[in-house]
Structure formats: structure tokens, C-alpha cells
């Protein structure tokens, strides 16, 4: 479930909007990136973005944990590089992570990795110039599924550090892995992810309750890989649990942004507004 098209298209739109506003750092300059390990495995790597000259109040900056897509079998943290630079310019600490693919380990390895990343960033918040109480997980496709997992579950670290994030942005991500109206290649991806485990075990939909993090859902109405009712039904369940859900359906779009010249301004405006409420 690749999210690279999302990253490239959305980031291009961010850049255009910044240029239009005459931002002096519209090209992402003034932002540095360092790669750190958030765990002992080679796949547990994180790119941390920050202003070259952090302000005095840097320790209070909210965190954006960026989780790439790729069907749990491909993709890279670098896909969110330009978006991360834009978020850093907006006063956040963007952290783009890799995680184990199903070719290396099946579920729950992917959940373990993203949870470990949250433990790590919270336990090292001071060194990262971050606020551990303001963490939003942002992911596309398979990354949207893992972001949703972080909003619906809480597995504390050995030190008692929570793994549940404070807000979620899930873009065309699957919430119910037991759904039957999924294309055959999607079913194969889920089967590879789960191995011998039941699909419901990894489905964020069945973990929604009043403790679930506020969530924004973005989905194309013509998505054939992850049907849009994955997001519309999740939003219904979220709202029934009295959890904030901001649902943005992109008319005519497929999995990701598939039209030639999509109008991204409403997407960016809604996303910016949601992040503004939860940062």
C-alpha cells in the first residue's frame, strides 16, 4: 500500500503554498536532519528534523511521528523528508521512522516497532527538544494503519512510558483487516502481515474506546485497494465513542492522490487546522 505518491504530491503542495506566501525558508533550508536509532535492530532507525537554530522554547515543541506506507513490505522513512522539513518550519519536531517488514518479521513486530519509537521519543524528549505530551502520529496506507494502532492502544514501556499518541492522522489506512470487500492483492498483504494470527488482532477498529486519540481520516472515494468505508466506518465508531473524528473524503481520488491535478489546498487547510488543534 504505497504512500510515496502521497508524500511527493502533498509535499509539492506544501512547497507551493510556502512559496506563494513568500516564506524565506520555503525550500526547506534552515532545517537539519540527524539519524538516530530508536531500538537495537537495524530497521529501528529514525530521522529527526529540527531548525538549524532552534528557538529558546524548543523543548516545548510538539512531535509529528511520520510512518511510511508500502504494504508492510516496502517503503522508507525518506518518503516523508520534504513534509518533515515543512512541519519543522511550522514549529514541530518531525520524526520519520522505519520499521520491520513482513519479510523480516510478521505481526506484531510492526506494532512493537512503532510503539518502541514512541517510548524512545518520549524517554528522550529533552535531547530531542520535544514535548512528550504532544505527539501526533501521521501515516499513509500501511503507515496510516500503524498510526491508527498508536491512537487506539497503549502498551507502556518497562519504564511505564505510554505508547498511545495524543492525535492521529490516518491517510487511506486500513482500520478493519477482517473486511471482506478488499481487493485480492490487499487480502494477500494482510495475510502476509498476520501469518497465523487472526486479522482482528491487528485491527484498530476493534480497539476504539473513549481513550482513543483524536483522529483525522483522509480517504479517496474511488480507492480500490483500501475501500473508503474503512475510514467512514471508523469515523462512525470513533464518534460513537465520543472521540473527535475529522473525516475528509477526496471525491474521485483513488489510493493516494491519483488524479493528474488534484486540488490539494482543502487537504492542507484541513490538515493544518487539525494539527493546530492537537499540537
Amino acid at each position: 500500500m504505497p504512500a510515496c505518491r502521497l508524500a511527493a504530491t502533498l509535499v509539492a503542495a506544501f512547497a507551493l503554498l510556502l512559496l506563494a506566501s513568500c516564506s524565506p525558508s520555503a525550500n526547506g533550508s534552515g532545517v537539519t536532519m540527524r539519524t538516530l536509532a530508536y531500538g537495537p535492530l537495524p530497521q529501528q532507525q529514525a530521522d529527526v528534523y529540527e531548525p538549524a537554530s532552534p528557538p529558546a522554547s524548543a523543548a516545548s515543541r510538539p512531535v509529528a511521528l511520520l510512518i511510511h506506507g508500502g504494504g508492510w513490505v516496502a517503503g522508507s522513512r525518506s518518503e516523508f523528508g520534504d513534509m518533515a522539513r515543512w512541519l519543522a518550519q511550522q514549529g514541530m519536531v518531525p520524526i520519520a521512522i522505519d520499521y520491520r517488514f513482513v519479510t523480516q518479521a510478521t505481526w506484531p513486530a510492526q506494532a512493537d516497532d512503532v510503539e518502541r519509537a514512541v517510548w524512545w521519543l518520549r524517554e528522550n524528549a529533552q535531547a530531542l527538544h520535544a514535548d512528550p505530551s504532544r505527539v501526533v502520529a501521521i501515516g499513509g496506507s500501511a503507515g496510516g494503519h500503524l498510526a491508527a494502532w498508536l491512537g487506539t492502544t497503549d502498551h507502556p514501556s518497562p519504564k511505564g512510558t505510554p505508547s498511545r499518541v495524543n492525535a492521529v492522522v490516518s491517510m487511506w489506512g486500513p482500520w478493519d483487516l477482517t473486511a471482506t470487500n478488499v481487493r485480492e492483492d490487499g487480502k494477500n498483504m494482510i495475510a502476509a502481515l498476520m501469518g497465523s494470527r487472526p486479522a482482528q488482532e491487528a485491527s484498530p477498529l476493534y480497539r476504539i474506546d473513549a481513550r482513543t486519540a483524536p483522529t483525522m481520516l483522509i480517504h479517496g472515494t474511488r480507492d480500490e485497494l483500501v475501500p473508503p468505508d474503512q475510514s467512514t466506518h471508523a469515523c462512525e465508531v470513533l464518534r460513537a465513542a465520543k472521540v473527535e473524528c475529522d473525516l475528509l473524503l477526496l471525491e474521485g481520488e483513488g489510493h493516494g492522490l491519483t488524479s493528474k491535478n488534484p486540488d490539494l489546498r482543502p487537504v492542507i487547510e484541513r490538515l493544518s487546522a487539525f494539527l493546530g488543534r492537537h499540537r
Side-chain angles (χ1 to χ4, degrees):
M1 302 179 183
C4 53
R5 181 172 178 82
L6 157 77
T9 313
L10 266 185
V11 170
F14 281 133
L16 287 173
L17 289 181
L18 287 167
L19 287 168
S21 64
C22 300
S23 168
S25 56
N27 61 1
S29 62
V31 174
T32 63
M33 186 271 284
R34 50 181 172 150
T35 300
L36 301 172
Y38 68 83
L41 299 178
Q43 300 86 2
Q44 294 169 340
Q45 298 289 310
D47 289 344
V48 182
Y49 296 79
E50 57 193 351
S53 300
S57 60
S60 64
R61 288 185 295 149
V63 179
L65 183 68
L66 305 172
I67 311 173
H68 69 79
W72 307 285
V73 74
S76 167
R77 64 187 188 274
S78 64
E79 292 171 9
F80 279 108
D82 287 340
M83 184 183 287
R85 292 182 179 88
W86 182 85
L87 290 167
Q89 292 169 3
Q90 309 312 303
M92 301 189 77
V93 181
I95 301 177
I97 63 168
D98 282 340
Y99 51 90
R100 281 172 287 176
F101 296 143
V102 297
T103 50
Q104 297 151 344
T106 55
W107 188 266
Q110 296 69 32
D112 293 344
D113 287 354
V114 296
E115 288 169 1
R116 180 181 288 272
V118 177
W119 298 342
W120 168 79
L121 70 86
R122 283 182 164 147
E123 292 171 2
N124 294 276
Q126 185 172 2
L128 296 170
H129 309 298
D131 184 340
S133 68
R134 296 187 292 165
V135 180
V136 55
I138 304 174
S141 197
H145 162 258
L146 294 173
W149 179 264
L150 291 174
T152 55
T153 63
D154 190 10
H155 294 145
S157 74
K159 296 180 179 180
T161 304
S163 68
R164 192 192 303 271
V165 296
N166 306 99
V168 167
V169 178
S170 178
M171 301 177 283
W172 32 89
W175 283 68
D176 182 4
L177 303 190
T178 72
T180 58
N181 64 332
V182 178
R183 217 167 59 185
E184 197 62 30
D185 50 351
K187 291 178 180 177
N188 292 338
M189 292 176 192
I190 293 169
L193 172 70
M194 299 311 302
S196 61
R197 292 177 176 267
Q200 184 170 329
E201 181 181 314
S203 298
L205 182 75
Y206 300 102
R207 295 176 173 268
I208 294 172
D209 59 22
R211 299 168 295 176
T212 297
T215 300
M216 180 175 188
L217 299 167
I218 304 174
H219 218 122
T221 60
R222 293 187 179 179
D223 191 337
E224 296 180 356
L225 183 58
V226 179
D229 64 3
Q230 288 274 329
S231 286
T232 56
H233 183 47
C235 197
E236 291 172 357
V237 178
L238 286 162
R239 289 172 177 169
K242 308 300 183 185
V243 175
E244 177 189 344
C245 176
D246 185 358
L247 175 63
L248 176 58
L249 294 175
L250 305 177
E251 191 63 37
E253 294 291 350
H255 190 68
L257 299 172
T258 53
S259 61
K260 283 188 176 181
N261 296 296
D263 181 8
L264 294 174
R265 191 173 294 269
V267 180
I268 295 171
E269 289 176 352
R270 287 275 289 275
L271 178 59
S272 297
F274 180 83
L275 293 176
R277 294 195 299 274
H278 300 287
R279 52 173 293 172

